[in-house]
Amino acid sequence: MVTNTSIPKLFSPHAAIRRLTSTAPNRVAFAVSPAAAQIGSFIAEKPYTPPSWACDLSPVPSHSFTLGQFPTPIHKWNLPNLPEGTEVWIKRDDLAGMELSGNKVRKLEFLMADAVAQGADCVITVGGIQSNHCRATAMAAKYVNLDCYLILVTSRLLVDEDPGLVGNLLVSRLLGAHIDLVSKGEFSKIGSVALTDLLNKRLLEKGRKPYVISGGGSNSLGNWGYIEAVREIEEQIQLSGDVQFDDIVVACGSGGTVAGLALGSQLSSLKTKVHGFSVCYNPGYFYNNVQGLIDGLQSGLNSHDIVSIEDAKGLGYAMNTAEELKFVKDIAAATGIVLDPVYSGKAAYRMLKDMSNNPTKWEGRKVLFVHTGGLLGLYDKVDQLSSFFGSWQRMDLEEFVHAKKALSNVA
C-alpha cells in the first residue's frame, strides 16, 4: 500500500496544488503551478530552453506550447508477486490531461509549435483506427486553431464502412477531424510516409498549408518531449531525496518515447537502464528506429548501448489475448491503476512475466514504469472484457416492501 508520505515527496515543486501552513490563524494557503496560477498560460506558446546536459544536441527547438498538465506524479505501485526486494513505482503520464492524456501530449507541445511557426493551417498524421496519437493530435490542433486530417488504418472488411463512434474515434470526430480510411493491407504496401505525402499533395493543390506529423509524433523534434520528461523526473528525484531508480520501463509503439527517455537518461544524472517493450514490430526494427531518432539529434550514441527492447506484441498490434485483458482487469481491481490494452497493459504484462521468469534480473531494483495513457482504447475491447465481470445483482427490496406493508396494516 502507498504510504501518505511517499506521494508528495515525488511531486515536483510545481505540482498543481500543495497545502501549506499559513501564518494567519485558521487560514490555509495554497501553492499552485505557474501554469495553474497565471491566467492564459495554458495553451500558450513559450520559448524553450533545454536542460544543460542536452545543450549539445541539435537541432534544439526554439518554442513549445503548454498543452499538458505537468509534472505528472510518481508514486509507488503495489503490484503483486514481485521478486525479493524489488520496488515498482509509476510515472502517471495518463494524468497529463483528459483528451490529451498520455505520452503524445509531450511530443505535441513541440510539434504544434513548429507547425504554427511554419505558417501551417492544418496538420496531417496517421495511425490505427483507435490511435491515441491521432485523437491527441486532433485535440492539440484544435487548441492552436489548426484543422486536422487523420489517415486511419482499419481492417479490409471495414475500410468502406463508417468507422463509428467508439473510444478515440468518438473524440476525434467530435473535434471535427477529417478522416481518411485505408486498409491494413494498403498501409503495409504503401507505407505511412507515402500516404501522408499523398494527402499533403492534395491539400497543397487546394491551397492549404499542411504540416505533416509522423505516426506517434515520433521524430527528432518529438523526441524532445521525453528528453524534457527526463528533466522532470530528475527534479522529482532531487526533491524526494531518498529515491533513485535503477530501471525505467515503457511501452514501445512508434519509438519516440523510448528514444527520448533513453537519450535523456544517458545524458542526464539518471543513468537508469531503459527497457522498451515493443507492442507492434520486432525489437530489431525498434533498435534501428531509435538509432535514426537519436542520430537526428546528432547524439553520437548507439541505440543498443542506451536501451533494451523486448517483444511484447503478443497476437499483434492492438490485438489481445484473454490472459492479457484479464491482467488489465485484475491490476485495476488490485491496485487502482487502469492500464490501456494496447500499450501500457501489454508492457506491464510482459514486465511482470519477465520478473516471474527471471527474478534474479530484477531482485532488489527500483523500477519506474511510465504509464503512457490511452484509456479510451478500452472501449474498443468491451465485448472481449465483458466475460470477466460478474459482480452485479439487482438490489433485494423485499425487506423494504414487507416493512412498508406492516406499517400500512398498523395504520
Side-chain angles (χ1 to χ4, degrees):
M1 183 173 293
V2 179
T3 63
N4 289 333
T5 56
S6 64
I7 295 177
K9 277 183 149 186
L10 282 227
F11 273 101
S12 151
H14 305 304
I17 299 178
R18 286 192 300 158
R19 181 171 178 142
L20 303 178
T21 56
S22 172
T23 54
N26 302 320
R27 296 184 64 185
V28 175
F30 290 90
V32 299
S33 73
Q38 185 177 342
I39 294 174
S41 60
F42 184 61
I43 318 178
E45 193 175 26
K46 61 185 179 183
Y48 178 69
T49 302
S52 59
W53 41 261
C55 286
D56 290 337
L57 299 177
S58 179
V60 175
S62 61
H63 288 78
S64 68
F65 272 103
T66 302
L67 300 176
Q69 303 295 326
F70 300 121
T72 56
I74 295 172
H75 63 82
K76 213 167 188 179
W77 194 9
N78 190 30
L79 290 170
N81 303 318
L82 295 177
E84 185 177 354
T86 302
E87 293 181 6
V88 177
W89 297 65
I90 186 166
K91 174 78 170 157
R92 301 295 302 278
D93 273 12
D94 59 315
L95 301 181
M98 178 53 186
E99 301 90 345
L100 271 167
S101 69
N103 59 330
K104 311 306 180 184
V105 62
R106 291 189 186 270
K107 306 172 189 181
L108 289 167
E109 289 192 328
F110 293 95
L111 294 165
M112 288 299 169
D114 192 46
V116 170
Q118 293 192 27
D121 63 9
C122 59
V123 297
I124 300 169
T125 196
V126 60
I129 192 67
Q130 280 293 332
S131 169
N132 301 309
H133 162 69
C134 287
R135 175 257 306 157
T137 300
M139 176 58 73
K142 193 60 64 175
Y143 274 160
V144 300
N145 298 315
L146 301 178
D147 288 335
C148 183
Y149 289 81
L150 304 177
I151 300 172
L152 300 181
V153 183
T154 188
S155 72
R156 178 178 57 83
L157 297 176
L158 299 176
V159 72
D160 293 312
E161 299 182 9
D162 186 293
L165 297 171
V166 174
N168 286 304
L169 267 171
L170 173 60
V171 177
S172 296
R173 298 183 81 176
L174 280 172
L175 294 165
H178 304 266
I179 294 174
D180 283 278
L181 298 179
V182 297
S183 71
K184 292 178 181 177
E186 291 167 335
F187 179 77
S188 298
K189 183 177 180 180
I190 300 170
S192 62
V193 174
L195 287 167
T196 53
D197 283 350
L198 176 61
L199 184 52
N200 184 60
K201 176 177 174 288
R202 290 174 178 174
L203 289 172
L204 286 169
E205 289 170 350
K206 293 179 179 180
R208 302 301 301 270
K209 298 176 181 178
Y211 179 91
V212 176
I213 296 175
S214 304
S218 294
N219 58 23
S220 295
L221 180 60
N223 270 5
W224 283 95
Y226 270 85
I227 293 171
E228 186 61 25
V230 169
R231 169 157 61 182
E232 182 177 299
I233 294 168
E234 248 191 339
E235 291 175 350
Q236 290 174 298
I237 289 172
Q238 288 167 2
L239 275 170
S240 73
D242 59 356
V243 176
Q244 293 291 333
F245 297 113
D246 302 299
D247 304 88
I248 293 176
V249 172
V250 68
C252 186
S254 59
T257 297
V258 74
L261 285 170
L263 183 56
S265 178
Q266 180 69 23
L267 296 178
S268 72
S269 63
L270 288 190
K271 301 294 187 287
T272 54
K273 184 173 183 179
V274 176
H275 307 258
F277 283 86
S278 166
V279 301
C280 43
Y281 303 112
N282 60 48
Y285 170 90
F286 278 111
Y287 279 118
N288 292 333
N289 180 262
V290 170
Q291 190 64 57
L293 291 169
I294 62 177
D295 283 349
L297 293 174
Q298 301 180 37
S299 70
L301 296 171
N302 187 305
S303 62
H304 289 268
D305 295 333
I306 63 173
V307 64
S308 171
I309 298 175
E310 300 176 44
D311 194 343
K313 64 180 179 293
L315 296 177
Y317 176 71
M319 300 170 66
N320 295 99
T321 64
E323 186 178 353
E324 287 170 345
L325 291 176
K326 186 175 186 301
F327 170 83
V328 169
K329 184 260 183 189
D330 289 345
I331 291 299
T335 72
I337 301 297
V338 181
L339 300 167
D340 82 295
V342 179
Y343 294 95
S344 292
K346 283 193 173 184
Y349 175 78
R350 290 296 173 184
M351 176 187 74
L352 288 181
K353 279 280 189 186
D354 195 46
M355 287 182 173
S356 176
N357 294 335
N358 304 290
T360 56
K361 171 182 169 183
W362 299 92
E363 281 178 0
R365 299 182 73 84
K366 287 185 171 63
V367 180
L368 177 63
F369 183 92
V370 180
H371 190 330
T372 54
L375 301 190
L376 288 171
L378 280 168
Y379 288 92
D380 195 44
K381 305 292 182 180
V382 168
D383 290 341
Q384 288 177 269
L385 285 165
S386 60
S387 63
F388 302 130
F389 300 96
S391 56
W392 68 275
Q393 62 181 17
R394 177 169 178 170
M395 188 173 181
D396 184 357
L397 300 177
E398 187 175 349
E399 181 179 338
F400 176 80
V401 172
H402 286 324
K404 191 172 182 179
K405 284 183 179 178
L407 287 172
S408 299
N409 291 336
V410 171

